[in-house]
Amino acid sequence: MDTGWIVSIIVAGCLLIFILAISIPMNRKYVIRENGKINYKKTKIYLRWNVFDTLTLGLAIYSIICVQVLNFLVSSGETIKNVFVQFFTNQAQVWTLVSIIYLICRVSMTLKAIKERWGDEIE
């Protein structure tokens, strides 16, 4: 592994620890569980904007910036041997994937919460 990959893995690890440091306490504090399952009717956090959504928006913007910088570097003739190309390739892949997975999970949990609260009243 070259320097760009190693630095990118370190940065991704630090960001992952930061995200988990925010999400785990938030999950324990605001998500109401009964018998090991989430009670979507009582849990209000899925129906409003929260800190984790803001963090995810920041990650999405960061991944867009990484893709644009990578595009600029490749367009200017740089190859994978360049440490910056290595760094931005890894960062763009990781955080784009994380942002998409979070978006899918968030929409799913929000729809479950809406269904539990209002059920068949919405048509």
Side-chain angles (χ1 to χ4, degrees), residues 1-10 81-88 90-91:
M1 277 195 195
D2 288 332
T3 307
W5 294 106
I6 294 170
V7 171
S8 182
I9 290 171
I10 292 168
K81 295 182 185 206
N82 184 326
V83 293
F84 293 110
V85 172
Q86 296 169 11
F87 176 81
F88 287 114
N90 196 8
Q91 290 293 296

Side-chain angles (χ1 to χ4, degrees), residues 22 49-61 102 106:
I22 291 173
W49 191 267
N50 58 51
V51 175
F52 200 61
D53 294 328
T54 305
L55 181 67
T56 306
L57 180 63
L59 281 177
I61 292 169
Y102 176 73
R106 176 73 164 136

Side-chain angles (χ1 to χ4, degrees), residues 78-119:
E78 298 296 336
T79 64
I80 195 68
K81 295 182 185 206
N82 184 326
V83 293
F84 293 110
V85 172
Q86 296 169 11
F87 176 81
F88 287 114
T89 299
N90 196 8
Q91 290 293 296
Q93 289 176 354
V94 168
W95 300 117
T96 301
L97 185 63
V98 168
S99 297
I100 289 171
I101 289 171
Y102 176 73
L103 175 67
I104 292 169
C105 293
R106 176 73 164 136
V107 168
S108 173
M109 289 183 287
T110 302
L111 290 175
K112 286 179 185 177
I114 290 171
K115 184 178 179 186
E116 285 293 319
R117 284 183 177 252
W118 293 287

